[in-house]
Amino acid sequence: MRISKFIFILAAAAMFSNVFASNANAKLEGVYTDWAVHSKTESGEKICYALGKAKSKTPSSVKHGDIYFMVANWKSGAAKEQPSLLTGFSLKPEIPPSARVGSSRIPMYADGSEAFVENRNDEKKLVRSMRKGSTMRVDAVSARGTQISYEFSLSGITAALGKAKTVCN
């Protein structure tokens, strides 16, 4: 039993660790079911984040690459539980992305290959919904005009957010 748990942790760590492979100082702090917690120091600022990988991607006829959803904390307090979508391609800024958990739909805005929630109250609402939900769907449009949709499991998000907060305190 211990060996299989260890193998699962190694496999999960490998799955999440490649997202920020270019950032040599990122440290894996823990894996919580479908979410991993990392920390890094950038320009003297410690950042801790929970990271989940998309479980499904549509349309299936398009090469999406790795798609992640991140909830980040800055030790300085500059941001607390800031949610964002991370893609490997540019998003169309004229058509705002949105995140949906259950009946809660949160508007986002596209900035290059990322999408953010503009309003702090909506950030809090989304993170609250993520803690209570089981899946999250993010809809967006690529810069090429393709309507895309990603589903993320929220299994482990509450524990991951707790760990990210603790690491950055």
Side-chain angles (χ1 to χ4, degrees):
M1 187 73 157
R2 284 185 134 168
I3 292 173
S4 63
K5 185 175 181 182
F6 179 72
I7 292 170
F8 170 76
I9 290 170
L10 284 178
M15 177 176 75
F16 288 112
S17 64
N18 67 354
V19 69
F20 291 109
S22 62
N23 188 353
N25 67 349
K27 177 184 175 191
L28 178 65
E29 300 286 351
V31 176
Y32 304 88
T33 313
D34 291 324
W35 290 78
V37 176
H38 297 266
S39 65
K40 65 180 179 177
T41 302
E42 215 170 83
S43 303
E45 174 76 63
K46 186 172 184 177
I47 303 167
C48 308
Y49 50 94
L51 189 70
K53 189 173 183 177
K55 294 289 185 185
S56 71
K57 307 169 191 176
T58 56
S60 58
S61 59
V62 174
K63 290 185 181 182
H64 298 266
D66 291 331
I67 306 296
Y68 298 92
F69 201 87
M70 177 171 72
V71 181
N73 293 295
W74 276 251
K75 186 171 178 119
S76 67
K80 293 287 185 190
E81 295 187 333
Q82 179 187 50
S84 60
L85 174 71
L86 307 169
T87 68
F89 52 86
S90 293
L91 299 170
K92 192 169 210 147
E94 303 84 8
I95 303 174
S98 65
R100 182 183 311 265
V101 180
S103 63
S104 180
R105 184 184 164 283
I106 304 296
M108 302 178 83
Y109 69 93
D111 184 6
S113 62
E114 296 180 76
F116 299 93
V117 177
E118 193 160 0
N119 180 304
R120 180 66 185 133
N121 288 332
D122 283 345
E123 284 183 344
K124 290 178 183 179
K125 181 179 176 184
L126 177 56
V127 173
R128 228 179 3 256
S129 296
M130 290 172 71
R131 281 187 168 100
K132 294 176 184 175
S134 59
T135 60
M136 174 177 61
R137 179 182 168 136
V138 179
D139 296 309
V141 177
S142 73
R144 293 181 175 179
T146 305
Q147 178 70 42
I148 50 180
S149 182
Y150 304 110
E151 287 204 10
F152 298 86
S153 165
L154 297 176
S155 183
I157 187 63
T158 300
L161 291 172
K163 178 67 171 184
K165 185 176 181 181
T166 300
V167 171
C168 260
N169 275 338

